[in-house]
Amino acid sequence: MKMKNQGNLYQLLPLIGLIIIGTIGRYVLYGMGVQPFPNFEIIMVVTFLAIMLIRSPLALIVPLASMVGSDLLIGNPIFVGDQMNRIVLFTYSGFALIALLTLLNKNRLWNTLSQGRLKSIGLMAGLGVGSVLLYDIWTNMGWWYLMYPHDASSLLLVYTAGLPFMLYHLISGLVTFCAIGLPIILYIAKKNDHLQLQPIQLRIIHKIPAVLLVLGLIALSFTGTAATIPQKSEVWVEKSDQTSIRIIITTDSWTITDNLVAKPGDTAYSVLQRSAQENSFSIDATYYAQFDSTLINSINNAVGGTDGNYWQYYVNGRLPEVGADKYPVTNGDVLTWSFEVPPT
């Protein structure tokens, strides 16, 4: 019983350790911007090591937990509104796919890599490059599926635009697998009798949960209708003027600008309210039942009626004919609140 508990401990420690390394490593490299070159990352090699060193198929949770943890630290939203961020699903399922393929070939890989010969170096380099290549092909297809027209020319455009990033990522895979992954595999192979980490032959029944998990993530990545392009509000990207609502609140003496990703049912008024919460400025409004509309009395202490100025709102430069609480807005719109003399 003591030996069994010790063996479980030897499995638990790498599981926790690799999750921590993956999470903190990605946060430092990507979140803090200290990459030696663009697209340098360690999640791929952490994924590979988790599968190779942890006997249980539960090793698949290492890349997923590392990505979720680092996304939370970095601030990448896993959900946008009440919907799952689908490009996140493509990212997560990409690492899970690499993990599954490694799991299915685990013993053959171990037998070659643990020998420490020139062939081992070549195999490790090939694994680094091949894993990155498969991952980038998969995630670029995700960008095409979610953000572009579903035709061959758009698909070619996505892959062409991604080539510079893929090149750096391939170098990252080559460096991390050979400089980090291979030395660790060789060390573990040498100390195997003590560490008890050499992979065991997994039965098919033990691989089924891993296969189902990965297939489930892949299926979730394609939720929605493939024949139409999803709304950009369903996809997290940088808050650019094309992928969020641009908000400009201006008087003669000050201006507030903001970008907010649209939520289902957003109006010019609800977006103003959210901007006020995020930027800590006050708004005062009155609802008039006879008009079924809300009138803005003041924003950031600029009170309507001062010197004949009142709050007017414009959407894409146009003055709407309904109240702000009745005018829907979406990503790509420019919402301007101007403290001015009303146009006649």
Side-chain angles (χ1 to χ4, degrees):
M1 179 65 70
K2 182 178 180 180
M3 291 184 64
K4 183 178 180 180
N5 290 337
Q6 188 178 37
N8 291 335
L9 179 63
Y10 282 136
Q11 292 295 300
L12 182 61
L13 290 178
L15 182 73
I16 297 174
L18 287 170
I19 290 175
I20 293 174
I21 291 171
T23 301
I24 301 301
R26 182 168 180 253
Y27 173 71
V28 171
L29 289 170
Y30 179 73
M32 299 178 64
V34 295
Q35 296 165 303
F37 52 82
N39 237 17
F40 181 85
E41 53 89 13
I42 64 168
I43 296 289
M44 194 70 72
V45 72
V46 166
T47 299
F48 176 79
L49 289 172
I51 300 300
M52 295 301 295
L53 302 183
I54 299 171
R55 295 187 175 189
S56 170
L58 289 176
L60 265 78
I61 72 172
V62 170
L64 299 178
S66 298
M67 289 298 295
V68 171
S70 56
D71 274 337
L72 292 174
L73 288 175
I74 293 169
N76 291 346
I78 300 173
F79 288 88
V80 177
D82 59 355
Q83 297 181 350
M84 184 74 179
N85 180 345
R86 290 198 282 171
I87 196 60
V88 162
L89 283 172
F90 271 98
T91 303
Y92 293 179
S93 60
F95 285 111
L97 181 60
I98 300 301
L100 177 62
L101 293 176
T102 305
L103 178 67
L104 296 177
N105 296 279
K106 182 174 181 175
N107 288 83
R108 282 179 290 178
L109 292 174
W110 180 272
N111 291 336
T112 301
L113 293 173
S114 61
Q115 295 175 8
R117 299 175 181 174
L118 186 61
K119 184 179 180 181
S120 303
I121 300 175
L123 176 58
M124 201 63 163
L127 287 169
V129 171
S131 297
V132 167
L133 189 61
L134 178 60
Y135 174 85
D136 284 355
I137 289 173
W138 171 252
T139 52
N140 278 327
M141 184 178 67
W143 279 109
W144 168 76
Y145 179 81
L146 294 172
M147 299 288 287
Y148 292 83
H150 298 151
D151 53 49
S153 60
S154 297
L155 182 62
L156 180 62
L157 175 65
V158 170
Y159 281 112
T160 302
L163 284 176
F165 302 96
M166 184 181 293
L167 177 60
Y168 281 117
H169 201 190
L170 289 171
I171 297 173
S172 170
L174 181 65
V175 171
T176 55
F177 271 64
C178 291
I180 300 175
L182 184 58
I184 291 177
I185 292 292
L186 294 177
Y187 176 80
I188 296 300
K190 184 178 180 181
K191 300 290 185 179
N192 178 60
D193 291 339
H194 175 64
L195 297 178
Q196 303 177 26
L197 289 174
Q198 182 174 352
I200 58 175
Q201 188 69 39
L202 292 174
R203 298 178 181 178
I204 294 178
I205 193 172
H206 294 148
K207 297 178 182 179
I208 291 177
V211 173
L212 293 177
L213 172 63
V214 176
L215 291 179
L217 283 173
I218 291 174
L220 284 174
S221 300
F222 286 99
T223 53
T225 304
T228 59
I229 304 173
Q231 293 294 318
K232 290 181 179 178
S233 60
E234 299 176 16
V235 185
W236 180 85
V237 290
E238 292 292 336
K239 290 183 179 180
S240 68
D241 291 348
Q242 290 73 42
T243 59
S244 63
I245 301 171
R246 176 67 169 169
I247 306 163
I248 304 170
I249 307 168
T250 182
T251 69
D252 289 338
S253 56
W254 53 262
T255 298
I256 297 173
T257 60
D258 195 7
N259 282 76
L260 291 175
V261 175
K263 294 182 178 181
D266 258 341
T267 64
Y269 179 52
S270 68
V271 169
L272 175 64
Q273 289 178 306
R274 281 201 285 136
S275 182
Q277 292 175 351
E278 294 194 9
N279 294 282
S280 300
F281 62 84
S282 62
I283 59 173
D284 179 69
T286 302
Y287 173 73
Y288 292 90
Q290 63 269 37
F291 302 114
D292 188 26
S293 184
T294 298
L295 176 68
I296 304 300
N297 301 318
S298 69
I299 300 177
N300 198 31
N301 298 318
V303 181
T306 304
D307 297 328
N309 293 306
Y310 293 87
W311 284 104
Q312 305 285 334
Y313 81 99
Y314 299 82
V315 179
N316 302 324
R318 176 178 170 271
L319 181 63
E321 297 179 355
V322 296
D325 57 334
K326 297 296 185 293
Y327 195 93
V329 290
T330 189
N331 293 325
D333 286 340
V334 178
L335 173 61
T336 304
W337 287 90
S338 178
F339 194 56
E340 61 183 33
V341 176
T344 56

